[in-house]
Amino acid sequence: GVALQTDFPTVNGYVPPDEYEEKRQHRQLYGMMLCARCSDLSQGRMVNAVAGQGGERMSAGLITPKQLRDQLTHIREQKALVVKVVDVTDFHGSFLNKVRDVVGANPILLVLTKIDLLPEGTDLEELKAWCVEEVVQKRRLTLAGVVCVSSKKGDGMKEAVLTMFSERKGRDVYVLGSANVGKSTFIRAALKAIREDGVFFAPAKRLPTASAMPGTTLGIIPLKAFEGKGVLYDTPGVFLHHRLNSILGGDDIKRFKLGASLVRFKPIPRVQGEEKDRLSFQGLTLLWGPLVRVDVTKASPSAGLEFFGPKGMRVTVVETSSLPDP
């Protein structure tokens, strides 16, 4: 999402001069060449480009979260359809506050992603109705529809694409969301669904890079996904500093595999080393790897907790009294 350059190796968009010249001679620069950073990200390396990510201070080559968000402010002046991607397992945590300042009066197609992580038997229609109340009645936003998808598994993508096509009415489409919520992954899945529906000119190569590293997309990326008028835009993620993936550095994100498929853990009220379950979690503490501590001060016997995370992060149950005060 940034311009290619050959002068500063530590700055985003850098490519070695000899590689740049070779691609230029063959007219393969536009859409055919990855900068060093994107190449590293596509191979699983965790390369940070945003100041504040994981506590990293501003330095040469980094951009600020404000610079990323400022790229989106022109959308409110456009006549467009906004596709807003939200993590269904963290609705309030990944929903952008003051989104009206960005989208203006443009209608929003709300995409709830990662539905494959919801508990079995979840009523998606009830979930959609709840979202409508949250978005329209409480936040006073203009809603064009709500769709539930799993971008990785392809569930719901056909409905999402059909809704997007019917609601855009010849307008451009901007895909918005918080950093690392899954915008680029959704776009890749959407383009695949578009091609499977017979729109063969939708791009299949050189798609937006998807990575577990927040701040992968640094600029607005236009994609020719529609026949005739209108462009599909991938956009930089808005950094929400309370989210765990903004707090951790690249090494920890990779260590905990935060961008990988999540596994659901449902712990039982049994202290490690004991043979019988307690009546409830009251008086117990749940330690989720080294990241989260939950002290349960009061709970009914039927109360439970579920954790969604990588396979390597287990939940340990101990007595709260055995731990020092947090």
Side-chain angles (χ1 to χ4, degrees):
V2 296
L4 298 176
Q5 53 90 15
T6 59
D7 297 323
F8 306 101
T10 61
V11 176
N12 301 315
Y14 176 78
V15 292
D18 54 342
E19 293 183 18
Y20 182 92
E21 182 60 24
E22 181 180 352
K23 291 290 185 180
R24 188 190 66 79
Q25 291 180 4
H26 291 85
R27 299 180 180 180
Q28 294 179 338
L29 289 178
Y30 180 75
M32 298 293 289
M33 188 172 194
L34 290 177
C35 70
R37 172 180 168 273
C38 285
S39 179
D40 285 344
L41 288 169
S42 64
Q43 296 178 42
R45 300 187 182 97
M46 309 302 282
V47 185
N48 181 39
V50 183
Q53 171 67 41
E56 188 166 347
R57 295 183 177 181
M58 186 65 188
S59 61
L62 298 183
I63 62 176
T64 67
K66 184 179 183 301
Q67 288 175 306
L68 293 176
R69 187 177 182 115
D70 285 349
Q71 295 183 54
L72 309 178
T73 55
H74 77 283
I75 298 175
R76 64 190 176 202
E77 308 297 335
Q78 309 292 320
K79 290 186 177 180
L81 173 67
V82 174
V83 175
K84 190 174 186 311
V85 181
V86 177
D87 184 343
V88 73
T89 67
D90 185 23
F91 183 89
H92 292 105
S94 62
F95 201 101
L96 305 180
N97 291 325
K98 299 182 179 179
V99 69
R100 174 69 75 190
D101 295 343
V102 175
V103 305
N106 286 312
I108 296 173
L109 172 60
L110 189 65
V111 174
L112 304 177
T113 190
K114 304 180 184 178
I115 61 168
D116 54 302
L117 300 180
L118 293 174
E120 187 176 349
T122 298
D123 189 326
L124 296 183
E125 293 305 316
E126 287 190 7
L127 177 62
K128 291 179 183 179
W130 177 83
C131 289
V132 170
E133 181 179 356
E134 284 286 317
V135 175
V136 177
Q137 298 184 19
K138 294 184 179 180
R139 300 176 186 262
R140 304 295 181 184
L141 299 175
T142 305
L143 196 62
V146 181
V147 292
C148 299
V149 306
S150 169
S151 300
K152 287 192 174 182
K153 294 189 175 182
D155 299 340
M157 289 307 305
K158 186 172 183 179
E159 179 189 358
V161 166
L162 290 175
T163 305
M164 182 171 63
F165 269 72
S166 65
E167 293 294 335
R168 76 180 191 90
K169 298 177 173 61
R171 297 170 293 190
D172 292 338
V173 176
Y174 289 85
V175 181
L176 267 61
S178 60
N180 213 224
V181 78
K183 298 181 305 302
S184 297
T185 302
F186 169 77
I187 286 177
R188 295 169 74 96
L191 291 173
K192 179 181 178 182
I194 292 172
R195 292 193 303 272
E196 290 176 347
D197 202 39
V199 184
F200 299 112
F201 63 81
K205 297 180 179 180
R206 294 304 183 194
L207 303 180
T209 302
S211 166
M213 189 71 197
T216 296
T217 303
L218 300 178
I220 295 177
I221 303 174
L223 297 162
K224 187 64 177 176
F226 311 119
E227 188 174 2
K229 186 180 179 181
V231 178
L232 175 66
Y233 291 97
D234 191 10
T235 65
V238 177
F239 269 68
L240 303 178
H241 295 288
H242 61 270
R243 300 199 78 203
L244 189 60
N245 57 11
S246 294
I247 297 172
L248 298 178
D251 290 342
D252 284 335
I253 291 175
K254 189 170 185 178
R255 172 189 171 194
F256 299 125
K257 299 180 179 178
L258 294 186
S261 296
L262 304 182
V263 175
R264 184 170 68 220
F265 298 96
K266 190 173 183 179
I268 58 176
R270 180 185 299 178
V271 174
Q272 189 175 30
E274 295 184 354
E275 297 182 357
K276 294 183 178 180
D277 296 350
R278 301 286 182 93
L279 294 177
S280 73
F281 282 101
Q282 186 167 318
L284 302 181
T285 291
L286 295 89
L287 302 173
W288 192 28
L291 300 179
V292 178
R293 168 178 168 170
V294 180
D295 294 343
V296 183
T297 58
K298 188 175 181 180
S300 66
S302 60
L305 291 169
E306 289 189 348
F307 295 78
F308 294 86
K311 294 180 180 179
M313 281 181 56
R314 298 295 179 181
V315 178
T316 304
V317 181
V318 299
E319 287 190 343
T320 305
S321 59
S322 68
L323 299 175
D325 291 336

